[in-house]
């Protein structure tokens, strides 16, 4: 199990000291963020199973001591391993060591055993603490907690860090778990992906009034034909909106003809083409888009093309931008717009 927070974070540790006042221990909201569950879940466990705080402040506000946290961490591990909540609560109340042993037994049981596991731990490795809370919420299919964890990550760290250091590691862990477990955990990936997409879209702002006629066109973002993995593009779109740059987001699997038509109609300064797989990355398509033109004779424009995603690795793309990360892409694009760079000529 993970190490509990220090007494400096949680207030005084022993029960006698914790009872001195409402200032001791974590609030329900803080503990929920730490564990990756919703505050409603903690209140429900308290009401149904007696897994509640030792200290209640003025007005019956819950204050959770280090011992409470240890019990709830055990409760979370057990429920994530598929132990029914009532049994998990009884075991967690007896002690964290018992809970760890039972969870290990459940996770080691064969699929056809007496107990069916609904979920389990994810292979996260060395990641931010927020990843662990998000993963716990995802494997429990606790949608309110997933939404809260994602919103907090964006609010606390901004789009770039939230995407690169919280969302992506957790998504990768879910993908690895799914790949190694047959069709299990696909529901976890779907729920997590949907909420990540929702969190990113909440960061986009409504389009403002059109800029002056001579201003560079927007950034057009599209997945190449056959490519449905649009989350990285949604992260880039959110980051560009955070910077106040104009965008047009077309999402997954845009047909080549539709993409070409959109380029000539919009006149974008930059076209970002995302390809997750090598089979989807079409260099002829990228070259065709780079050569697209619009405008009147003598004042025609062409877009700058940015190739994003691992599918483009090893593919020569002379004259095309090749960012290595979300931050790199945002830095390059903001630099182009700060210079007032028009579409290619």
């Amino acid at each position: 199990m993970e190490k509990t927070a220090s007494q400096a974070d949680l207030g005084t540790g022993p029960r006698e000291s914790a009872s001195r006042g409402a200032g001791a221990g974590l609030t329900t909201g803080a503990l929920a963020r730490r564990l990756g569950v919703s505050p409603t879940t903690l209140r429900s466990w308290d009401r149904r199973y007696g897994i509640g705080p030792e200290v209640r402040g003025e007005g019956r506000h819950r204050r959770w001591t280090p011992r409470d946290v240890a019990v709830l961490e055990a409760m979370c591990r057990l429920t994530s391993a598929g132990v029914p909540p009532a049994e998990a609560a009884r075991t967690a109340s007896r002690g964290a060591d018992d809970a760890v042993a039972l969870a290990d037994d459940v996770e080691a049981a064969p699929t056809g055993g007496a107990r069916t596991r609904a979920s389990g731990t994810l292979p996260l490795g060395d990641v931010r603490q927020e990843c662990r809370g998000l993963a716990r919420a995802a494997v429990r299919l606790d949608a309110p907690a997933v939404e809260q964890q994602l919103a907090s990550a964006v609010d606390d760290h901004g789009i770039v860090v939230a995407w690169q250091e919280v969302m992506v590691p957790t998504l990768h862990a879910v993908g690895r778990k799914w790949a190694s477990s047959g069709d299990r955990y696909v529901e976890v990936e779907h729920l997590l992906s949907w909420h990540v997409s929702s969190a990113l879209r909440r960061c986009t702002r409504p389009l403002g009034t059109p800029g002056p006629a001579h201003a560079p066109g927007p950034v057009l973002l599209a997945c190449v034909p056959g490519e449905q993995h649009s989350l990285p593009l949604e992260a880039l779109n959110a980051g560009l909106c955070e910077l106040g740059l104009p965008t047009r987001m077309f999402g997954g699997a845009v047909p080549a003809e539709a993409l070409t038509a959109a380029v000539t109609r919009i006149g974008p300064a930059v076209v970002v083409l995302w390809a997750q797989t090598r089979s989807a990355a079409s260099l002829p398509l990228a070259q065709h888009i780079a050569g697209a033109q619009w405008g009147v004779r003598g004042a025609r424009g062409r877009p700058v093309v940015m190739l994003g995603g691992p599918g483009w690795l090893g593919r020569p793309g002379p004259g095309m931008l090749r960012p290595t990360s979300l931050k790199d892409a945002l830095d390059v694009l903001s630099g182009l717009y700060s210079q007032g760079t028009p579409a290619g000529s």
Side-chain angles (χ1 to χ4, degrees), residues 175-197:
R176 290 193 298 270
K177 194 71 171 179
W178 178 21
S180 64
S181 307
D183 290 334
R184 294 178 61 231
Y185 299 95
V186 65
E187 73 283 1
V188 177
E189 183 182 48
H190 278 244
L191 180 136
L192 180 59
S193 297
W194 190 89
H195 281 283
V196 167
S197 178

Side-chain angles (χ1 to χ4, degrees), residues 51-148:
I51 306 292
E54 293 183 319
V55 176
R56 297 179 188 270
E58 296 179 4
R60 304 289 291 175
H61 292 302
R62 294 169 172 84
R63 309 295 295 192
W64 305 82
T65 68
R67 181 184 182 280
D68 298 328
V69 173
V71 170
L72 284 167
E73 284 178 335
M75 177 77 172
C76 286
R77 177 167 183 178
L78 289 165
T79 54
S80 292
V83 178
E87 181 182 351
R90 289 193 297 270
T91 304
S93 297
R94 288 198 300 266
D97 290 341
D98 288 348
V100 170
L102 178 57
D104 287 341
D105 289 343
V106 172
E107 290 173 3
T111 305
R115 178 179 286 118
T116 300
R117 287 189 293 143
S119 56
T121 56
L122 295 179
L124 284 164
D126 184 15
V127 294
R128 280 181 173 270
Q129 182 64 34
E130 292 94 330
C131 294
R132 303 189 184 283
L134 181 58
R136 292 190 189 102
V139 296
R140 274 194 300 276
L141 304 181
D142 189 341
V146 169
E147 183 174 347
Q148 181 186 60

Side-chain angles (χ1 to χ4, degrees), residues 198-295:
S198 298
L200 293 171
R201 294 187 188 191
R202 279 194 295 270
C203 299
T204 61
R205 293 195 294 263
L207 296 176
T209 57
H214 63 276
V219 179
L220 188 157
L221 304 103
C223 291
V224 297
E227 180 58 72
Q228 295 287 356
H229 292 81
S230 62
L231 281 180
L233 274 189
E234 293 178 39
L236 178 56
N237 185 54
L240 290 169
C241 290
E242 190 175 56
L243 294 173
L245 299 182
T247 68
R248 297 291 187 275
M249 176 64 171
F250 286 82
V254 182
E257 298 80 4
L259 181 58
T260 301
V263 169
T264 56
R265 288 176 60 189
I266 295 173
V270 183
V271 176
V272 181
L273 299 176
W274 180 268
Q276 185 74 19
T277 62
R278 187 175 178 84
S279 61
S282 170
L283 193 56
L285 173 62
Q287 292 168 337
H288 175 70
I289 296 300
Q293 297 186 21
W294 60 84

